[in-house]
Amino acid sequence: MKMSQKIKIIRNAEGLTQMEFCKLLNIPLSSLKNYEGQHSNPNLNAIMKIVQHPKFEKYTLWLMNNKTSPESGQVSPDLSHYGQEKTALNPLKKKTG
């Protein structure tokens, strides 16, 4: 998976719009749109802003090498708190019994 795809997954896992994400990280919206549209790759400065931000540092290991370490607080976006709440709010529509 490309770094640009991972950035979009992280943003979505946290429930942020592109504009909110850019404001948190102080990166231009046009840059994020280019990353997410896979027109350009994020530079090291942008990646560092993500991994050093308290809200996103839990994804550092996953972002850099596709690994997680939950015991160290390093998770993938599908294990983030937002993803779990979203799952809990969307129960299966299957009828039982």
Side-chain angles (χ1 to χ4, degrees):
M1 181 181 306
K2 293 182 179 182
M3 186 70 68
S4 55
Q5 293 170 305
K6 288 181 169 186
I7 290 171
K8 184 175 182 176
I9 290 169
I10 288 170
R11 180 181 64 76
N12 287 330
E14 292 295 321
L16 297 170
T17 65
Q18 288 180 327
M19 184 63 78
E20 292 167 334
F21 190 79
C22 289
K23 284 183 181 181
L24 280 175
L25 298 174
N26 194 29
I27 61 173
L29 179 59
S30 59
S31 295
L32 181 63
K33 287 183 182 235
N34 282 325
Y35 305 154
E36 291 189 359
Q38 297 183 29
H39 303 294
S40 66
N41 292 316
N43 59 30
L44 183 59
N45 186 44
I47 293 169
M48 292 303 293
K49 285 182 178 186
I50 294 168
V51 300
Q52 291 177 344
H53 191 281
K55 187 172 191 78
F56 309 117
E57 64 186 7
K58 63 188 169 196
Y59 303 122
T60 301
L61 193 58
W62 177 81
L63 185 65
M64 302 310 275
N65 67 12
N66 292 322
K67 295 182 181 178
T68 61
S69 179
E71 62 278 358
S72 301
Q74 291 293 301
V75 297
S76 66
D78 60 332
L79 296 177
S80 72
H81 73 322
Y82 183 80
Q84 291 172 353
E85 289 171 6
K86 187 174 182 180
T87 301
L89 295 175
N90 294 321
L92 295 174
K93 294 181 179 179
K94 206 176 201 182
K95 292 185 178 181
T96 57

